[in-house]
Amino acid sequence: MHPTTKPTSEEIAVAKWIKANVPCKKTKFLSHSVEYFTASKAVDKLLISPWSSPGKNKEEPLFTTRESVVQYLDLLLRKKFFHRARKIPVSEQELKARSKKKEKKKEKEDGGKKEKQEAEEEKKGDDGESSHAEEKKDKGKKEKRKIRLDMHLEQIFVDGNDAYVWIYDPIPYYYWLAGGGVVLAVVALCLFPLWPPVVRKGVYYLSIGAAGFLMFIFGLAVLRVLIFCLLWLVSMGRHHLWIFPNLTEDVGFFASFWPLWKYECRDKESPSKKDKKNNGKKKLSDDENEEKAEESGGEDTQLDNVEDTEDKSETESEQTGKDFEMIEKDDE
């Protein structure tokens, strides 16, 4: 793993071709987001690559058999283009333990909502730092299993389903173009006194126009606040008028100037006062209903007493068989 020679141009070209044509997956490895590929897929792709067919001068192809591809990829591994990792399946118990830890943290921050978080975590299958979902074919059905990557102790290239994490990360060409453009722009600004007079005049007028536009925006922002405050003071807080209401909002350039105005008329009584009055009226109506209920309840009890006395008299008259009752003198 300590190569004495630097990679050749051919090896760099092969590594770039592998990275561009062999399917890669993204995951987290030791808390870093990385890309990895499967060994067997890389070997299959290289067997149909431009290096597996004879060249223009009828040179022997670089890759003829799977063994030759494996030897070449092992050389790239030793030159630190990628390294071997081992796949560790994640058990359901670990997933549940991690999901519970996440739930506890979220409960402290958000104040609860366990059921929703469990449903979302089960659907998404987010296992935290370094787990990744892979598709597993079983009896014609695709099942997803969770794995995480760890460093392999034997750093050799093996033709199989092992994972190999990319170390080689070339800088894209547009990064170089953007950096060169920035350098050229800085040099051109430094050479402003050497520009032709016509170009300098144009830049001068453009800068004046940009400064005038900025001053117009600041003045418009101050003017709209003054108009709002004057109208609000005159109407005692009843009329609200905003010119260009979206001018200071987080919207696009053209949306900042539309609509042109926004007018709103509000009553003198604030909603809080209205709520208090409504609550007071409700309380009064509730008290009146309670008094009426008490009065009606008293009348009902009186009627019940009268009906009870009438019932007693009727029962007594039924027992004597007469409309009246004989009373002795002593009883008087």
Side-chain angles (χ1 to χ4, degrees):
M1 291 301 293
H2 299 284
T4 55
T5 58
K6 292 183 179 180
T8 62
S9 58
E10 186 183 45
E11 291 169 351
I12 293 172
V14 171
K16 285 183 179 179
W17 191 90
I18 294 171
K19 196 161 188 179
N21 293 278
V22 176
C24 296
K25 293 181 180 179
K26 290 183 178 181
T27 186
K28 284 194 174 182
F29 178 76
L30 301 176
S31 71
H32 294 285
S33 57
V34 295
E35 292 183 349
Y36 74 93
F37 65 93
T38 306
S40 59
K41 292 181 181 179
V43 174
D44 294 338
K45 286 285 185 181
L46 285 174
L47 286 173
I48 56 173
S49 66
W51 293 277
S52 62
S53 57
K56 294 180 180 179
N57 299 326
K58 295 183 179 181
E59 297 176 355
E60 291 186 2
L62 185 62
F63 306 127
T64 55
T65 59
R66 296 187 73 90
E67 288 76 13
S68 62
V69 175
V70 170
Q71 288 178 2
Y72 195 88
L73 291 175
D74 187 69
L75 178 63
L76 294 182
L77 183 143
R78 295 181 184 281
K79 291 190 177 182
K80 297 184 179 180
F81 281 93
F82 44 80
H83 67 82
R84 188 183 182 188
R86 107 189 134 90
K87 298 178 181 178
I88 302 173
V90 181
S91 62
E92 293 182 358
Q93 294 178 353
E94 291 181 2
L95 291 174
K96 288 180 180 178
R98 290 181 181 179
S99 63
K100 286 180 180 179
K101 287 180 181 178
K102 282 188 174 182
E103 285 172 8
K104 288 180 181 178
K105 289 181 181 178
K106 287 182 180 179
E107 281 177 4
K108 290 178 182 179
E109 293 175 357
D110 302 335
K113 302 178 181 178
K114 285 185 179 179
E115 296 178 357
K116 291 182 180 179
Q117 290 172 357
E118 286 177 0
E120 290 176 359
E121 286 173 0
E122 288 176 359
K123 287 179 182 178
K124 291 180 181 179
D126 185 10
D127 64 331
E129 293 182 353
S130 59
S131 60
H132 181 70
E134 282 195 346
E135 292 183 358
K136 183 182 178 182
K137 294 181 180 179
D138 185 15
K139 296 180 181 180
K141 294 182 181 180
K142 289 184 178 180
E143 295 181 358
K144 288 186 177 181
R145 63 189 180 95
K146 306 291 294 184
I147 63 162
R148 71 170 181 268
L149 298 180
D150 197 3
M151 185 64 74
H152 205 291
L153 297 177
E154 295 180 1
Q155 290 297 319
I156 57 173
F157 193 88
V158 180
D159 186 7
N161 293 324
D162 289 344
Y164 290 84
V165 180
W166 279 107
I167 301 173
Y168 176 65
D169 188 15
I171 299 172
Y173 67 92
Y174 53 85
Y175 276 37
W176 296 103
L177 293 176
V182 171
V183 172
L184 290 176
V186 172
V187 172
L189 287 173
C190 294
L191 297 175
F192 179 76
L194 302 178
W195 289 8
V198 177
V199 179
R200 281 188 288 173
K201 248 185 200 178
V203 173
Y204 172 73
Y205 288 129
L206 282 174
S207 60
I208 289 176
F213 180 73
L214 288 175
M215 294 299 293
F216 170 74
I217 295 296
F218 285 125
L220 189 61
V222 174
L223 181 64
R224 64 194 286 272
V225 173
L226 288 175
I227 292 172
F228 175 82
C229 293
L230 288 173
L231 189 61
W232 187 82
L233 289 171
V234 171
S235 63
M236 302 297 291
R238 187 175 181 183
H239 298 286
H240 292 200
L241 176 64
W242 282 106
I243 298 173
F244 298 112
N246 292 330
L247 187 65
T248 57
E249 298 295 329
D250 188 12
V251 293
F253 177 77
F254 294 103
S256 300
F257 300 96
W258 189 262
L260 298 177
W261 68 81
K262 181 182 178 182
Y263 174 72
E264 189 176 355
C265 182
R266 298 182 184 179
D267 295 334
K268 290 182 180 180
E269 294 180 355
S270 62
S272 59
K273 290 181 180 178
K274 286 184 179 179
D275 294 336
K276 287 180 181 179
K277 284 189 176 182
N278 292 330
N279 292 331
K281 288 179 181 178
K282 285 180 182 178
K283 287 180 180 179
L284 289 173
S285 61
D286 293 337
D287 294 337
E288 289 176 357
N289 292 329
E290 287 178 0
E291 289 177 358
K292 287 180 181 179
E294 288 176 358
E295 290 177 358
S296 61
E299 291 177 356
D300 293 337
T301 52
Q302 290 177 359
L303 291 171
D304 292 336
N305 293 330
V306 172
E307 289 175 359
D308 290 336
T309 52
E310 289 178 355
D311 291 334
K312 285 180 183 179
S313 62
E314 286 177 1
T315 51
E316 289 174 356
S317 62
E318 286 175 359
Q319 288 175 0
T320 55
K322 298 180 181 180
D323 294 335
F324 58 92
E325 188 175 357
M326 297 295 292
I327 299 173
E328 295 181 355
K329 290 182 180 179
D330 296 335
D331 294 333
E332 291 178 356

PDB file of all heavy atoms in Angstrom, residues 26 67 69 100 110 128-129 145 154 161 166 169-170 219 234 241 322 329:
ATOM      1  N   LYS A  26     -23.813   6.014  -3.082  1.00  0.00           N
ATOM      2  CA  LYS A  26     -23.348   6.948  -2.057  1.00  0.00           C
ATOM      3  C   LYS A  26     -23.766   6.461  -0.678  1.00  0.00           C
ATOM      4  O   LYS A  26     -24.875   5.968  -0.494  1.00  0.00           O
ATOM      5  CB  LYS A  26     -23.922   8.343  -2.301  1.00  0.00           C
ATOM      6  CG  LYS A  26     -23.337   9.017  -3.528  1.00  0.00           C
ATOM      7  CD  LYS A  26     -23.884  10.425  -3.672  1.00  0.00           C
ATOM      8  CE  LYS A  26     -23.267  11.120  -4.878  1.00  0.00           C
ATOM      9  NZ  LYS A  26     -23.763  12.515  -5.039  1.00  0.00           N
ATOM     10  N   GLU A  67      -9.017 -12.452 -14.945  1.00  0.00           N
ATOM     11  CA  GLU A  67      -7.844 -12.437 -14.084  1.00  0.00           C
ATOM     12  C   GLU A  67      -6.951 -11.234 -14.388  1.00  0.00           C
ATOM     13  O   GLU A  67      -6.405 -10.598 -13.468  1.00  0.00           O
ATOM     14  CB  GLU A  67      -7.042 -13.728 -14.246  1.00  0.00           C
ATOM     15  CG  GLU A  67      -7.690 -14.961 -13.627  1.00  0.00           C
ATOM     16  CD  GLU A  67      -8.843 -15.502 -14.459  1.00  0.00           C
ATOM     17  OE1 GLU A  67      -8.977 -15.064 -15.633  1.00  0.00           O
ATOM     18  OE2 GLU A  67      -9.603 -16.339 -13.948  1.00  0.00           O
ATOM     19  N   VAL A  69      -7.954  -8.378 -15.560  1.00  0.00           N
ATOM     20  CA  VAL A  69      -8.643  -7.186 -15.042  1.00  0.00           C
ATOM     21  C   VAL A  69      -8.446  -7.076 -13.538  1.00  0.00           C
ATOM     22  O   VAL A  69      -8.173  -5.995 -13.002  1.00  0.00           O
ATOM     23  CB  VAL A  69     -10.148  -7.238 -15.390  1.00  0.00           C
ATOM     24  CG1 VAL A  69     -10.885  -6.069 -14.748  1.00  0.00           C
ATOM     25  CG2 VAL A  69     -10.354  -7.241 -16.889  1.00  0.00           C
ATOM     26  N   LYS A 100     -34.930   4.874  18.309  1.00  0.00           N
ATOM     27  CA  LYS A 100     -35.375   5.330  19.635  1.00  0.00           C
ATOM     28  C   LYS A 100     -34.532   6.499  20.134  1.00  0.00           C
ATOM     29  O   LYS A 100     -35.057   7.441  20.732  1.00  0.00           O
ATOM     30  CB  LYS A 100     -35.299   4.170  20.631  1.00  0.00           C
ATOM     31  CG  LYS A 100     -36.402   3.149  20.439  1.00  0.00           C
ATOM     32  CD  LYS A 100     -36.279   2.025  21.443  1.00  0.00           C
ATOM     33  CE  LYS A 100     -37.391   0.996  21.242  1.00  0.00           C
ATOM     34  NZ  LYS A 100     -37.260  -0.120  22.208  1.00  0.00           N
ATOM     35  N   ASP A 110     -38.633  19.074  19.958  1.00  0.00           N
ATOM     36  CA  ASP A 110     -39.959  19.417  19.452  1.00  0.00           C
ATOM     37  C   ASP A 110     -41.073  19.220  20.474  1.00  0.00           C
ATOM     38  O   ASP A 110     -42.201  19.657  20.244  1.00  0.00           O
ATOM     39  CB  ASP A 110     -40.276  18.584  18.210  1.00  0.00           C
ATOM     40  CG  ASP A 110     -39.246  18.803  17.130  1.00  0.00           C
ATOM     41  OD1 ASP A 110     -38.620  19.879  17.147  1.00  0.00           O
ATOM     42  OD2 ASP A 110     -39.060  17.919  16.294  1.00  0.00           O
ATOM     43  N   GLY A 128     -29.065   6.450  10.211  1.00  0.00           N
ATOM     44  CA  GLY A 128     -28.077   7.266  10.896  1.00  0.00           C
ATOM     45  C   GLY A 128     -26.865   7.533  10.049  1.00  0.00           C
ATOM     46  O   GLY A 128     -26.974   7.973   8.923  1.00  0.00           O
ATOM     47  N   GLU A 129     -25.693   7.247  10.605  1.00  0.00           N
ATOM     48  CA  GLU A 129     -24.466   7.748   9.999  1.00  0.00           C
ATOM     49  C   GLU A 129     -24.047   6.945   8.777  1.00  0.00           C
ATOM     50  O   GLU A 129     -23.868   7.477   7.705  1.00  0.00           O
ATOM     51  CB  GLU A 129     -23.343   7.729  11.038  1.00  0.00           C
ATOM     52  CG  GLU A 129     -23.579   8.716  12.157  1.00  0.00           C
ATOM     53  CD  GLU A 129     -22.433   8.715  13.128  1.00  0.00           C
ATOM     54  OE1 GLU A 129     -21.544   7.847  12.991  1.00  0.00           O
ATOM     55  OE2 GLU A 129     -22.417   9.569  14.008  1.00  0.00           O
ATOM     56  N   ARG A 145     -32.174  -4.404   2.110  1.00  0.00           N
ATOM     57  CA  ARG A 145     -31.501  -4.720   3.360  1.00  0.00           C
ATOM     58  C   ARG A 145     -30.545  -3.589   3.697  1.00  0.00           C
ATOM     59  O   ARG A 145     -30.010  -2.926   2.807  1.00  0.00           O
ATOM     60  CB  ARG A 145     -30.745  -6.046   3.282  1.00  0.00           C
ATOM     61  CG  ARG A 145     -29.621  -6.083   2.282  1.00  0.00           C
ATOM     62  CD  ARG A 145     -29.083  -7.488   2.125  1.00  0.00           C
ATOM     63  NE  ARG A 145     -27.994  -7.545   1.156  1.00  0.00           N
ATOM     64  CZ  ARG A 145     -26.711  -7.491   1.473  1.00  0.00           C
ATOM     65  NH1 ARG A 145     -26.354  -7.368   2.739  1.00  0.00           N
ATOM     66  NH2 ARG A 145     -25.783  -7.549   0.544  1.00  0.00           N
ATOM     67  N   GLU A 154      -7.731  -6.783   4.851  1.00  0.00           N
ATOM     68  CA  GLU A 154      -6.971  -7.268   3.704  1.00  0.00           C
ATOM     69  C   GLU A 154      -7.236  -6.360   2.513  1.00  0.00           C
ATOM     70  O   GLU A 154      -8.302  -6.414   1.893  1.00  0.00           O
ATOM     71  CB  GLU A 154      -7.365  -8.707   3.367  1.00  0.00           C
ATOM     72  CG  GLU A 154      -7.021  -9.700   4.455  1.00  0.00           C
ATOM     73  CD  GLU A 154      -7.425 -11.110   4.080  1.00  0.00           C
ATOM     74  OE1 GLU A 154      -7.958 -11.294   2.957  1.00  0.00           O
ATOM     75  OE2 GLU A 154      -7.218 -12.014   4.885  1.00  0.00           O
ATOM     76  N   ASN A 161     -18.561  -9.536  -4.698  1.00  0.00           N
ATOM     77  CA  ASN A 161     -19.532  -8.501  -4.339  1.00  0.00           C
ATOM     78  C   ASN A 161     -19.008  -7.539  -3.269  1.00  0.00           C
ATOM     79  O   ASN A 161     -19.799  -6.838  -2.629  1.00  0.00           O
ATOM     80  CB  ASN A 161     -20.829  -9.146  -3.834  1.00  0.00           C
ATOM     81  CG  ASN A 161     -21.559  -9.890  -4.931  1.00  0.00           C
ATOM     82  OD1 ASN A 161     -21.555  -9.463  -6.083  1.00  0.00           O
ATOM     83  ND2 ASN A 161     -22.171 -11.011  -4.586  1.00  0.00           N
ATOM     84  N   TRP A 166     -14.107   4.865  -3.342  1.00  0.00           N
ATOM     85  CA  TRP A 166     -13.254   5.718  -4.153  1.00  0.00           C
ATOM     86  C   TRP A 166     -12.459   6.693  -3.293  1.00  0.00           C
ATOM     87  O   TRP A 166     -12.986   7.364  -2.419  1.00  0.00           O
ATOM     88  CB  TRP A 166     -14.088   6.512  -5.149  1.00  0.00           C
ATOM     89  CG  TRP A 166     -14.476   5.755  -6.380  1.00  0.00           C
ATOM     90  CD1 TRP A 166     -15.703   5.267  -6.692  1.00  0.00           C
ATOM     91  CD2 TRP A 166     -13.615   5.410  -7.462  1.00  0.00           C
ATOM     92  NE1 TRP A 166     -15.685   4.626  -7.895  1.00  0.00           N
ATOM     93  CE2 TRP A 166     -14.397   4.702  -8.399  1.00  0.00           C
ATOM     94  CE3 TRP A 166     -12.260   5.602  -7.733  1.00  0.00           C
ATOM     95  CZ2 TRP A 166     -13.878   4.197  -9.584  1.00  0.00           C
ATOM     96  CZ3 TRP A 166     -11.737   5.112  -8.914  1.00  0.00           C
ATOM     97  CH2 TRP A 166     -12.529   4.416  -9.830  1.00  0.00           C
ATOM     98  N   ASP A 169     -10.507  11.429  -6.602  1.00  0.00           N
ATOM     99  CA  ASP A 169     -11.589  12.396  -6.837  1.00  0.00           C
ATOM    100  C   ASP A 169     -11.036  13.527  -7.697  1.00  0.00           C
ATOM    101  O   ASP A 169     -10.564  14.546  -7.170  1.00  0.00           O
ATOM    102  CB  ASP A 169     -12.129  12.932  -5.503  1.00  0.00           C
ATOM    103  CG  ASP A 169     -13.376  13.770  -5.693  1.00  0.00           C
ATOM    104  OD1 ASP A 169     -13.981  13.702  -6.785  1.00  0.00           O
ATOM    105  OD2 ASP A 169     -13.740  14.509  -4.762  1.00  0.00           O
ATOM    106  N   PRO A 170     -11.072  13.378  -9.010  1.00  0.00           N
ATOM    107  CA  PRO A 170     -10.497  14.419  -9.877  1.00  0.00           C
ATOM    108  C   PRO A 170     -11.326  15.701  -9.838  1.00  0.00           C
ATOM    109  O   PRO A 170     -12.550  15.668  -9.656  1.00  0.00           O
ATOM    110  CB  PRO A 170     -10.537  13.779 -11.269  1.00  0.00           C
ATOM    111  CG  PRO A 170     -11.644  12.781 -11.190  1.00  0.00           C
ATOM    112  CD  PRO A 170     -11.651  12.263  -9.786  1.00  0.00           C
ATOM    113  N   GLY A 219     -34.864  55.061  -1.500  1.00  0.00           N
ATOM    114  CA  GLY A 219     -35.832  56.144  -1.376  1.00  0.00           C
ATOM    115  C   GLY A 219     -37.261  55.643  -1.405  1.00  0.00           C
ATOM    116  O   GLY A 219     -38.127  56.135  -0.653  1.00  0.00           O
ATOM    117  N   VAL A 234     -53.338  59.825  10.723  1.00  0.00           N
ATOM    118  CA  VAL A 234     -54.522  60.626  10.401  1.00  0.00           C
ATOM    119  C   VAL A 234     -55.801  59.841  10.658  1.00  0.00           C
ATOM    120  O   VAL A 234     -56.786  60.376  11.183  1.00  0.00           O
ATOM    121  CB  VAL A 234     -54.447  61.104   8.928  1.00  0.00           C
ATOM    122  CG1 VAL A 234     -55.768  61.743   8.501  1.00  0.00           C
ATOM    123  CG2 VAL A 234     -53.306  62.098   8.768  1.00  0.00           C
ATOM    124  N   LEU A 241     -52.223  51.463   4.300  1.00  0.00           N
ATOM    125  CA  LEU A 241     -51.884  51.505   2.878  1.00  0.00           C
ATOM    126  C   LEU A 241     -50.386  51.288   2.711  1.00  0.00           C
ATOM    127  O   LEU A 241     -49.575  52.026   3.263  1.00  0.00           O
ATOM    128  CB  LEU A 241     -52.280  52.862   2.274  1.00  0.00           C
ATOM    129  CG  LEU A 241     -51.880  53.067   0.809  1.00  0.00           C
ATOM    130  CD1 LEU A 241     -52.606  52.079  -0.084  1.00  0.00           C
ATOM    131  CD2 LEU A 241     -52.156  54.499   0.376  1.00  0.00           C
ATOM    132  N   LYS A 322    -116.103   8.677  50.447  1.00  0.00           N
ATOM    133  CA  LYS A 322    -116.910   9.898  50.540  1.00  0.00           C
ATOM    134  C   LYS A 322    -116.098  11.076  50.082  1.00  0.00           C
ATOM    135  O   LYS A 322    -114.895  11.014  50.009  1.00  0.00           O
ATOM    136  CB  LYS A 322    -117.378  10.142  51.992  1.00  0.00           C
ATOM    137  CG  LYS A 322    -118.273   9.040  52.527  1.00  0.00           C
ATOM    138  CD  LYS A 322    -118.661   9.360  53.930  1.00  0.00           C
ATOM    139  CE  LYS A 322    -119.551   8.248  54.535  1.00  0.00           C
ATOM    140  NZ  LYS A 322    -119.954   8.507  55.910  1.00  0.00           N
ATOM    141  N   LYS A 329    -114.766  15.750  67.946  1.00  0.00           N
ATOM    142  CA  LYS A 329    -114.551  17.021  68.607  1.00  0.00           C
ATOM    143  C   LYS A 329    -113.193  17.095  69.234  1.00  0.00           C
ATOM    144  O   LYS A 329    -112.572  18.156  69.264  1.00  0.00           O
ATOM    145  CB  LYS A 329    -115.607  17.226  69.691  1.00  0.00           C
ATOM    146  CG  LYS A 329    -117.003  17.463  69.113  1.00  0.00           C
ATOM    147  CD  LYS A 329    -117.992  17.717  70.234  1.00  0.00           C
ATOM    148  CE  LYS A 329    -119.396  17.946  69.686  1.00  0.00           C
ATOM    149  NZ  LYS A 329    -120.421  18.187  70.752  1.00  0.00           N
TER     150      LYS A 329
END
